[in-house]
mmCIF file of all heavy atoms in Angstrom:
data_model
loop_
_atom_site.group_PDB
_atom_site.id
_atom_site.type_symbol
_atom_site.label_atom_id
_atom_site.label_comp_id
_atom_site.label_asym_id
_atom_site.label_seq_id
_atom_site.Cartn_x
_atom_site.Cartn_y
_atom_site.Cartn_z
ATOM 1 N N MET A 30 0.853 -1.194 0.000
ATOM 2 C CA MET A 30 0.000 0.000 0.000
ATOM 3 C C MET A 30 0.882 1.234 0.000
ATOM 4 O O MET A 30 1.750 1.380 0.858
ATOM 5 C CB MET A 30 -0.904 0.006 1.237
ATOM 6 C CG MET A 30 -1.888 1.177 1.266
ATOM 7 S SD MET A 30 -2.967 1.126 2.730
ATOM 8 C CE MET A 30 -3.966 -0.293 2.351
ATOM 9 N N LYS A 31 0.706 2.129 -0.919
ATOM 10 C CA LYS A 31 1.531 3.326 -1.042
ATOM 11 C C LYS A 31 1.149 4.337 0.023
ATOM 12 O O LYS A 31 -0.003 4.623 0.267
ATOM 13 C CB LYS A 31 1.347 3.945 -2.427
ATOM 14 C CG LYS A 31 2.219 5.164 -2.665
ATOM 15 C CD LYS A 31 1.979 5.707 -4.057
ATOM 16 C CE LYS A 31 2.825 6.948 -4.297
ATOM 17 N NZ LYS A 31 2.585 7.512 -5.641
ATOM 18 N N LEU A 32 2.167 4.912 0.677
ATOM 19 C CA LEU A 32 1.937 5.935 1.675
ATOM 20 C C LEU A 32 1.850 7.288 0.989
ATOM 21 O O LEU A 32 2.697 7.650 0.187
ATOM 22 C CB LEU A 32 3.077 5.944 2.700
ATOM 23 C CG LEU A 32 3.293 4.627 3.457
ATOM 24 C CD1 LEU A 32 4.414 4.794 4.451
ATOM 25 C CD2 LEU A 32 2.023 4.199 4.155
ATOM 26 N N VAL A 33 0.827 8.049 1.323
ATOM 27 C CA VAL A 33 0.631 9.351 0.707
ATOM 28 C C VAL A 33 0.412 10.385 1.791
ATOM 29 O O VAL A 33 0.267 10.074 2.963
ATOM 30 C CB VAL A 33 -0.570 9.336 -0.251
ATOM 31 C CG1 VAL A 33 -0.305 8.414 -1.417
ATOM 32 C CG2 VAL A 33 -1.847 8.920 0.468
ATOM 33 N N SER A 34 0.392 11.628 1.410
ATOM 34 C CA SER A 34 0.135 12.716 2.332
ATOM 35 C C SER A 34 -1.352 12.824 2.614
ATOM 36 O O SER A 34 -2.169 12.874 1.708
ATOM 37 C CB SER A 34 0.635 14.033 1.734
ATOM 38 O OG SER A 34 0.049 15.127 2.398
ATOM 39 N N ALA A 35 -1.695 12.876 3.893
ATOM 40 C CA ALA A 35 -3.115 12.991 4.242
ATOM 41 C C ALA A 35 -3.701 14.277 3.695
ATOM 42 O O ALA A 35 -4.803 14.286 3.136
ATOM 43 C CB ALA A 35 -3.281 12.935 5.764
ATOM 44 N N SER A 36 -2.991 15.362 3.845
ATOM 45 C CA SER A 36 -3.561 16.636 3.406
ATOM 46 C C SER A 36 -3.654 16.727 1.892
ATOM 47 O O SER A 36 -4.531 17.388 1.352
ATOM 48 C CB SER A 36 -2.704 17.795 3.945
ATOM 49 O OG SER A 36 -1.390 17.723 3.440
ATOM 50 N N ASP A 37 -2.763 16.049 1.182
ATOM 51 C CA ASP A 37 -2.801 16.103 -0.271
ATOM 52 C C ASP A 37 -3.835 15.161 -0.866
ATOM 53 O O ASP A 37 -4.513 15.495 -1.831
ATOM 54 C CB ASP A 37 -1.428 15.722 -0.854
ATOM 55 C CG ASP A 37 -0.411 16.828 -0.643
ATOM 56 O OD1 ASP A 37 -0.829 17.955 -0.316
ATOM 57 O OD2 ASP A 37 0.784 16.553 -0.787
ATOM 58 N N ALA A 38 -3.949 13.963 -0.308
ATOM 59 C CA ALA A 38 -4.704 12.918 -0.996
ATOM 60 C C ALA A 38 -6.061 12.608 -0.380
ATOM 61 O O ALA A 38 -7.012 12.340 -1.088
ATOM 62 C CB ALA A 38 -3.874 11.638 -1.056
ATOM 63 N N ARG A 39 -6.198 12.640 0.924
ATOM 64 C CA ARG A 39 -7.397 12.109 1.538
ATOM 65 C C ARG A 39 -8.667 12.883 1.201
ATOM 66 O O ARG A 39 -9.678 12.282 0.906
ATOM 67 C CB ARG A 39 -7.206 11.999 3.049
ATOM 68 C CG ARG A 39 -6.323 10.832 3.386
ATOM 69 C CD ARG A 39 -6.106 10.678 4.865
ATOM 70 N NE ARG A 39 -5.343 9.448 5.065
ATOM 71 C CZ ARG A 39 -5.897 8.281 5.319
ATOM 72 N NH1 ARG A 39 -7.191 8.180 5.419
ATOM 73 N NH2 ARG A 39 -5.161 7.201 5.459
ATOM 74 N N PRO A 40 -8.670 14.214 1.228
ATOM 75 C CA PRO A 40 -9.933 14.890 0.919
ATOM 76 C C PRO A 40 -10.454 14.631 -0.482
ATOM 77 O O PRO A 40 -11.631 14.790 -0.735
ATOM 78 C CB PRO A 40 -9.573 16.369 1.109
ATOM 79 C CG PRO A 40 -8.433 16.353 2.061
ATOM 80 C CD PRO A 40 -7.650 15.128 1.686
ATOM 81 N N ARG A 41 -9.568 14.198 -1.406
ATOM 82 C CA ARG A 41 -10.022 13.966 -2.775
ATOM 83 C C ARG A 41 -10.221 12.481 -3.082
ATOM 84 O O ARG A 41 -10.477 12.109 -4.212
ATOM 85 C CB ARG A 41 -9.001 14.573 -3.752
ATOM 86 C CG ARG A 41 -8.962 16.088 -3.699
ATOM 87 C CD ARG A 41 -8.168 16.630 -4.864
ATOM 88 N NE ARG A 41 -6.771 16.308 -4.772
ATOM 89 C CZ ARG A 41 -5.876 17.054 -4.126
ATOM 90 N NH1 ARG A 41 -6.263 18.148 -3.492
ATOM 91 N NH2 ARG A 41 -4.609 16.721 -4.110
ATOM 92 N N THR A 42 -10.052 11.643 -2.051
ATOM 93 C CA THR A 42 -10.207 10.208 -2.269
ATOM 94 C C THR A 42 -11.610 9.891 -2.782
ATOM 95 O O THR A 42 -12.594 10.430 -2.296
ATOM 96 C CB THR A 42 -9.967 9.434 -0.958
ATOM 97 O OG1 THR A 42 -8.628 9.663 -0.545
ATOM 98 C CG2 THR A 42 -10.172 7.942 -1.158
ATOM 99 N N ARG A 43 -11.693 8.996 -3.763
ATOM 100 C CA ARG A 43 -12.999 8.584 -4.294
ATOM 101 C C ARG A 43 -13.063 7.061 -4.276
ATOM 102 O O ARG A 43 -12.407 6.393 -5.067
ATOM 103 C CB ARG A 43 -13.191 9.105 -5.728
ATOM 104 C CG ARG A 43 -13.258 10.630 -5.811
ATOM 105 C CD ARG A 43 -14.547 11.161 -5.160
ATOM 106 N NE ARG A 43 -14.618 12.603 -5.242
ATOM 107 C CZ ARG A 43 -14.227 13.418 -4.279
ATOM 108 N NH1 ARG A 43 -13.696 12.932 -3.174
ATOM 109 N NH2 ARG A 43 -14.338 14.731 -4.417
ATOM 110 N N ARG A 44 -13.805 6.524 -3.352
ATOM 111 C CA ARG A 44 -13.986 5.082 -3.284
ATOM 112 C C ARG A 44 -15.477 4.805 -3.254
ATOM 113 O O ARG A 44 -16.204 5.351 -2.438
ATOM 114 C CB ARG A 44 -13.330 4.512 -2.026
ATOM 115 C CG ARG A 44 -11.804 4.506 -2.042
ATOM 116 C CD ARG A 44 -11.307 3.657 -0.875
ATOM 117 N NE ARG A 44 -9.854 3.559 -0.866
ATOM 118 C CZ ARG A 44 -9.056 4.314 -0.121
ATOM 119 N NH1 ARG A 44 -9.576 5.254 0.638
ATOM 120 N NH2 ARG A 44 -7.750 4.146 -0.146
ATOM 121 N N LEU A 45 -15.937 3.951 -4.139
ATOM 122 C CA LEU A 45 -17.339 3.600 -4.142
ATOM 123 C C LEU A 45 -17.653 2.613 -3.028
ATOM 124 O O LEU A 45 -18.741 2.637 -2.455
ATOM 125 C CB LEU A 45 -17.734 3.015 -5.498
ATOM 126 C CG LEU A 45 -17.632 3.974 -6.691
ATOM 127 C CD1 LEU A 45 -18.007 3.243 -7.974
ATOM 128 C CD2 LEU A 45 -18.535 5.183 -6.501
ATOM 129 N N SER A 46 -16.710 1.727 -2.709
ATOM 130 C CA SER A 46 -16.946 0.734 -1.681
ATOM 131 C C SER A 46 -16.897 1.378 -0.298
ATOM 132 O O SER A 46 -16.173 2.351 -0.067
ATOM 133 C CB SER A 46 -15.906 -0.384 -1.764
ATOM 134 O OG SER A 46 -14.607 0.139 -1.606
ATOM 135 N N LEU A 47 -17.677 0.822 0.619
ATOM 136 C CA LEU A 47 -17.663 1.312 1.991
ATOM 137 C C LEU A 47 -16.401 0.886 2.711
ATOM 138 O O LEU A 47 -15.897 1.615 3.567
ATOM 139 C CB LEU A 47 -18.891 0.794 2.740
ATOM 140 C CG LEU A 47 -20.240 1.336 2.277
ATOM 141 C CD1 LEU A 47 -21.376 0.565 2.939
ATOM 142 C CD2 LEU A 47 -20.355 2.820 2.589
ATOM 143 N N TRP A 48 -15.908 -0.305 2.404
ATOM 144 C CA TRP A 48 -14.698 -0.798 3.057
ATOM 145 C C TRP A 48 -13.952 -1.727 2.117
ATOM 146 O O TRP A 48 -14.479 -2.186 1.094
ATOM 147 C CB TRP A 48 -15.024 -1.522 4.363
ATOM 148 C CG TRP A 48 -15.993 -2.665 4.236
ATOM 149 C CD1 TRP A 48 -15.739 -3.933 3.783
ATOM 150 C CD2 TRP A 48 -17.386 -2.644 4.574
ATOM 151 N NE1 TRP A 48 -16.875 -4.686 3.826
ATOM 152 C CE2 TRP A 48 -17.902 -3.930 4.311
ATOM 153 C CE3 TRP A 48 -18.239 -1.669 5.095
ATOM 154 C CZ2 TRP A 48 -19.232 -4.257 4.534
ATOM 155 C CZ3 TRP A 48 -19.570 -1.993 5.322
ATOM 156 C CH2 TRP A 48 -20.047 -3.273 5.043
ATOM 157 N N THR A 49 -12.714 -1.989 2.472
ATOM 158 C CA THR A 49 -11.887 -2.957 1.755
ATOM 159 C C THR A 49 -11.577 -4.109 2.702
ATOM 160 O O THR A 49 -11.115 -3.886 3.835
ATOM 161 C CB THR A 49 -10.568 -2.324 1.292
ATOM 162 O OG1 THR A 49 -10.846 -1.317 0.318
ATOM 163 C CG2 THR A 49 -9.640 -3.369 0.665
ATOM 164 N N LEU A 50 -11.849 -5.326 2.252
ATOM 165 C CA LEU A 50 -11.549 -6.529 3.030
ATOM 166 C C LEU A 50 -10.585 -7.393 2.241
ATOM 167 O O LEU A 50 -10.865 -7.757 1.100
ATOM 168 C CB LEU A 50 -12.837 -7.314 3.323
ATOM 169 C CG LEU A 50 -12.657 -8.703 3.964
ATOM 170 C CD1 LEU A 50 -11.968 -8.605 5.308
ATOM 171 C CD2 LEU A 50 -14.014 -9.400 4.084
ATOM 172 N N HIS A 51 -9.457 -7.697 2.837
ATOM 173 C CA HIS A 51 -8.480 -8.613 2.253
ATOM 174 C C HIS A 51 -8.360 -9.800 3.190
ATOM 175 O O HIS A 51 -8.116 -9.635 4.389
ATOM 176 C CB HIS A 51 -7.123 -7.927 2.100
ATOM 177 C CG HIS A 51 -6.046 -8.852 1.628
ATOM 178 N ND1 HIS A 51 -5.891 -9.190 0.299
ATOM 179 C CD2 HIS A 51 -5.081 -9.526 2.305
ATOM 180 C CE1 HIS A 51 -4.869 -10.024 0.177
ATOM 181 N NE2 HIS A 51 -4.359 -10.251 1.370
ATOM 182 N N ARG A 52 -8.529 -11.007 2.645
ATOM 183 C CA ARG A 52 -8.502 -12.206 3.483
ATOM 184 C C ARG A 52 -7.363 -13.128 3.080
ATOM 185 O O ARG A 52 -7.059 -13.288 1.897
ATOM 186 C CB ARG A 52 -9.833 -12.951 3.383
ATOM 187 C CG ARG A 52 -10.956 -12.249 4.123
ATOM 188 C CD ARG A 52 -12.241 -13.036 4.130
ATOM 189 N NE ARG A 52 -12.965 -12.893 2.875
ATOM 190 C CZ ARG A 52 -14.252 -13.163 2.730
ATOM 191 N NH1 ARG A 52 -14.956 -13.623 3.747
ATOM 192 N NH2 ARG A 52 -14.847 -12.990 1.577
ATOM 193 N N ALA A 53 -6.747 -13.739 4.082
ATOM 194 C CA ALA A 53 -5.671 -14.701 3.861
ATOM 195 C C ALA A 53 -5.847 -15.847 4.854
ATOM 196 O O ALA A 53 -6.716 -15.800 5.738
ATOM 197 C CB ALA A 53 -4.313 -14.033 4.034
ATOM 198 N N ASP A 54 -5.018 -16.854 4.711
ATOM 199 C CA ASP A 54 -5.158 -18.063 5.530
ATOM 200 C C ASP A 54 -4.408 -17.898 6.851
ATOM 201 O O ASP A 54 -3.347 -18.472 7.070
ATOM 202 C CB ASP A 54 -4.640 -19.277 4.759
ATOM 203 C CG ASP A 54 -5.027 -20.592 5.431
ATOM 204 O OD1 ASP A 54 -6.099 -20.646 6.051
ATOM 205 O OD2 ASP A 54 -4.239 -21.554 5.340
ATOM 206 N N SER A 55 -4.970 -17.103 7.728
ATOM 207 C CA SER A 55 -4.381 -16.845 9.039
ATOM 208 C C SER A 55 -5.494 -16.481 9.998
ATOM 209 O O SER A 55 -6.502 -15.884 9.596
ATOM 210 C CB SER A 55 -3.367 -15.700 8.964
ATOM 211 O OG SER A 55 -2.960 -15.295 10.271
ATOM 212 N N PRO A 56 -5.333 -16.801 11.282
ATOM 213 C CA PRO A 56 -6.343 -16.408 12.270
ATOM 214 C C PRO A 56 -6.181 -14.958 12.732
ATOM 215 O O PRO A 56 -6.925 -14.512 13.603
ATOM 216 C CB PRO A 56 -6.080 -17.376 13.428
ATOM 217 C CG PRO A 56 -4.599 -17.616 13.353
ATOM 218 C CD PRO A 56 -4.284 -17.652 11.881
ATOM 219 N N ILE A 57 -5.239 -14.219 12.151
ATOM 220 C CA ILE A 57 -4.970 -12.839 12.551
ATOM 221 C C ILE A 57 -5.569 -11.892 11.513
ATOM 222 O O ILE A 57 -5.315 -12.022 10.322
ATOM 223 C CB ILE A 57 -3.461 -12.565 12.661
ATOM 224 C CG1 ILE A 57 -2.746 -13.663 13.463
ATOM 225 C CG2 ILE A 57 -3.219 -11.175 13.251
ATOM 226 C CD1 ILE A 57 -3.216 -13.817 14.879
ATOM 227 N N ILE A 58 -6.355 -10.931 11.986
ATOM 228 C CA ILE A 58 -6.909 -9.910 11.101
ATOM 229 C C ILE A 58 -6.795 -8.548 11.777
ATOM 230 O O ILE A 58 -6.999 -8.430 12.991
ATOM 231 C CB ILE A 58 -8.380 -10.220 10.725
ATOM 232 C CG1 ILE A 58 -8.918 -9.177 9.731
ATOM 233 C CG2 ILE A 58 -9.261 -10.331 11.951
ATOM 234 C CD1 ILE A 58 -10.276 -9.532 9.135
ATOM 235 N N GLY A 59 -6.441 -7.531 11.000
ATOM 236 C CA GLY A 59 -6.398 -6.177 11.510
ATOM 237 C C GLY A 59 -7.565 -5.369 10.959
ATOM 238 O O GLY A 59 -8.023 -5.606 9.842
ATOM 239 N N THR A 60 -8.047 -4.421 11.762
ATOM 240 C CA THR A 60 -9.096 -3.522 11.293
ATOM 241 C C THR A 60 -8.657 -2.076 11.514
ATOM 242 O O THR A 60 -7.939 -1.765 12.462
ATOM 243 C CB THR A 60 -10.435 -3.753 12.020
ATOM 244 O OG1 THR A 60 -10.299 -3.438 13.407
ATOM 245 C CG2 THR A 60 -10.901 -5.187 11.856
ATOM 246 N N ALA A 61 -9.107 -1.200 10.613
ATOM 247 C CA ALA A 61 -8.877 0.242 10.732
ATOM 248 C C ALA A 61 -10.205 0.928 10.443
ATOM 249 O O ALA A 61 -10.443 1.413 9.339
ATOM 250 C CB ALA A 61 -7.789 0.690 9.769
ATOM 251 N N ILE A 62 -11.070 0.961 11.438
ATOM 252 C CA ILE A 62 -12.444 1.421 11.210
ATOM 253 C C ILE A 62 -12.590 2.936 11.297
ATOM 254 O O ILE A 62 -13.657 3.470 10.970
ATOM 255 C CB ILE A 62 -13.440 0.727 12.159
ATOM 256 C CG1 ILE A 62 -13.101 0.982 13.626
ATOM 257 C CG2 ILE A 62 -13.495 -0.760 11.860
ATOM 258 C CD1 ILE A 62 -14.130 0.402 14.597
ATOM 259 N N HIS A 63 -11.537 3.638 11.715
ATOM 260 C CA HIS A 63 -11.559 5.107 11.726
ATOM 261 C C HIS A 63 -10.563 5.703 10.740
ATOM 262 O O HIS A 63 -10.277 6.900 10.796
ATOM 263 C CB HIS A 63 -11.276 5.641 13.134
ATOM 264 C CG HIS A 63 -12.411 5.469 14.093
ATOM 265 N ND1 HIS A 63 -12.252 5.488 15.468
ATOM 266 C CD2 HIS A 63 -13.746 5.282 13.873
ATOM 267 C CE1 HIS A 63 -13.424 5.314 16.041
ATOM 268 N NE2 HIS A 63 -14.346 5.184 15.102
ATOM 269 N N ASP A 64 -10.048 4.889 9.828
ATOM 270 C CA ASP A 64 -9.098 5.369 8.829
ATOM 271 C C ASP A 64 -9.756 6.308 7.822
ATOM 272 O O ASP A 64 -9.120 7.211 7.290
ATOM 273 C CB ASP A 64 -8.486 4.170 8.093
ATOM 274 C CG ASP A 64 -7.520 4.585 6.992
ATOM 275 O OD1 ASP A 64 -6.345 4.831 7.296
ATOM 276 O OD2 ASP A 64 -7.948 4.667 5.824
ATOM 277 N N GLY A 65 -11.039 6.103 7.553
ATOM 278 C CA GLY A 65 -11.702 6.779 6.443
ATOM 279 C C GLY A 65 -11.853 8.280 6.610
ATOM 280 O O GLY A 65 -12.034 8.794 7.718
ATOM 281 N N HIS A 66 -11.832 8.970 5.481
ATOM 282 C CA HIS A 66 -12.047 10.423 5.440
ATOM 283 C C HIS A 66 -13.174 10.805 4.479
ATOM 284 O O HIS A 66 -13.660 11.930 4.487
ATOM 285 C CB HIS A 66 -10.753 11.120 5.011
ATOM 286 C CG HIS A 66 -10.803 12.609 5.074
ATOM 287 N ND1 HIS A 66 -10.804 13.308 6.271
ATOM 288 C CD2 HIS A 66 -10.848 13.550 4.096
ATOM 289 C CE1 HIS A 66 -10.848 14.609 6.021
ATOM 290 N NE2 HIS A 66 -10.885 14.787 4.710
ATOM 291 N N LEU A 67 -13.614 9.870 3.676
ATOM 292 C CA LEU A 67 -14.585 10.158 2.625
ATOM 293 C C LEU A 67 -15.962 10.489 3.207
ATOM 294 O O LEU A 67 -16.442 9.841 4.129
ATOM 295 C CB LEU A 67 -14.702 8.949 1.689
ATOM 296 C CG LEU A 67 -15.613 9.100 0.472
ATOM 297 C CD1 LEU A 67 -15.090 10.191 -0.457
ATOM 298 C CD2 LEU A 67 -15.701 7.771 -0.277
ATOM 299 N N VAL A 68 -16.584 11.517 2.639
ATOM 300 C CA VAL A 68 -17.959 11.891 2.972
ATOM 301 C C VAL A 68 -18.738 11.978 1.666
ATOM 302 O O VAL A 68 -18.342 12.693 0.747
ATOM 303 C CB VAL A 68 -18.017 13.246 3.696
ATOM 304 C CG1 VAL A 68 -19.466 13.650 3.956
ATOM 305 C CG2 VAL A 68 -17.236 13.189 5.007
ATOM 306 N N ASP A 69 -19.816 11.238 1.567
ATOM 307 C CA ASP A 69 -20.631 11.274 0.343
ATOM 308 C C ASP A 69 -21.236 12.657 0.137
ATOM 309 O O ASP A 69 -21.510 13.392 1.088
ATOM 310 C CB ASP A 69 -21.724 10.209 0.418
ATOM 311 C CG ASP A 69 -21.149 8.799 0.373
ATOM 312 O OD1 ASP A 69 -20.143 8.600 -0.324
ATOM 313 O OD2 ASP A 69 -21.697 7.918 1.055
ATOM 314 N N GLY A 70 -21.480 13.009 -1.128
ATOM 315 C CA GLY A 70 -21.851 14.372 -1.494
ATOM 316 C C GLY A 70 -23.058 14.928 -0.782
ATOM 317 O O GLY A 70 -23.047 16.079 -0.323
ATOM 318 N N ASP A 71 -24.123 14.128 -0.654
ATOM 319 C CA ASP A 71 -25.326 14.660 -0.020
ATOM 320 C C ASP A 71 -25.131 14.885 1.470
ATOM 321 O O ASP A 71 -25.777 15.741 2.072
ATOM 322 C CB ASP A 71 -26.518 13.738 -0.276
ATOM 323 C CG ASP A 71 -26.300 12.329 0.246
ATOM 324 O OD1 ASP A 71 -25.137 11.894 0.343
ATOM 325 O OD2 ASP A 71 -27.301 11.658 0.568
ATOM 326 N N ILE A 72 -24.201 14.141 2.072
ATOM 327 C CA ILE A 72 -23.889 14.328 3.488
ATOM 328 C C ILE A 72 -22.951 15.518 3.656
ATOM 329 O O ILE A 72 -23.082 16.308 4.601
ATOM 330 C CB ILE A 72 -23.253 13.068 4.090
ATOM 331 C CG1 ILE A 72 -24.171 11.847 3.888
ATOM 332 C CG2 ILE A 72 -22.931 13.268 5.566
ATOM 333 C CD1 ILE A 72 -25.513 11.964 4.558
ATOM 334 N N ALA A 73 -22.006 15.662 2.727
ATOM 335 C CA ALA A 73 -21.015 16.739 2.821
ATOM 336 C C ALA A 73 -21.684 18.107 2.893
ATOM 337 O O ALA A 73 -21.208 19.003 3.601
ATOM 338 C CB ALA A 73 -20.066 16.671 1.628
ATOM 339 N N SER A 74 -22.775 18.290 2.186
ATOM 340 C CA SER A 74 -23.445 19.587 2.183
ATOM 341 C C SER A 74 -24.075 19.914 3.534
ATOM 342 O O SER A 74 -24.364 21.079 3.827
ATOM 343 C CB SER A 74 -24.513 19.612 1.092
ATOM 344 O OG SER A 74 -25.530 18.657 1.353
ATOM 345 N N LEU A 75 -24.290 18.897 4.359
ATOM 346 C CA LEU A 75 -24.889 19.108 5.674
ATOM 347 C C LEU A 75 -23.859 19.330 6.769
ATOM 348 O O LEU A 75 -24.159 19.933 7.799
ATOM 349 C CB LEU A 75 -25.762 17.904 6.056
ATOM 350 C CG LEU A 75 -26.919 17.542 5.137
ATOM 351 C CD1 LEU A 75 -27.597 16.267 5.634
ATOM 352 C CD2 LEU A 75 -27.924 18.683 5.073
ATOM 353 N N LEU A 76 -22.631 18.836 6.538
ATOM 354 C CA LEU A 76 -21.612 18.877 7.584
ATOM 355 C C LEU A 76 -21.051 20.278 7.777
ATOM 356 O O LEU A 76 -20.724 20.975 6.816
ATOM 357 C CB LEU A 76 -20.461 17.927 7.243
ATOM 358 C CG LEU A 76 -20.644 16.447 7.568
ATOM 359 C CD1 LEU A 76 -19.422 15.670 7.125
ATOM 360 C CD2 LEU A 76 -20.905 16.232 9.057
#
């Protein structure tokens, strides 16, 4: 995963999916449930 600048890249991020799930053959899984910055357009106008 490429590391980018939060101030440069995050406000313009466009992801249609709500989350990304990658699965492998291990009992260990990490979550980052507050990583997101995206706000959908109809919500953005209210914030």
Side-chain angles (χ1 to χ4, degrees):
M30 184 179 291
K31 183 180 179 181
L32 301 182
V33 295
S34 162
S36 62
D37 287 345
R39 285 180 175 266
R41 292 192 292 272
T42 298
R43 295 291 180 265
R44 289 192 177 98
L45 295 178
S46 59
L47 293 170
W48 56 78
T49 294
L50 172 61
H51 175 81
R52 287 185 280 199
D54 192 32
S55 170
I57 312 299
I58 183 171
T60 64
I62 59 175
H63 287 159
D64 178 84
H66 186 72
L67 184 63
V68 177
D69 292 325
D71 59 333
I72 304 298
S74 64
L75 301 176
L76 278 178

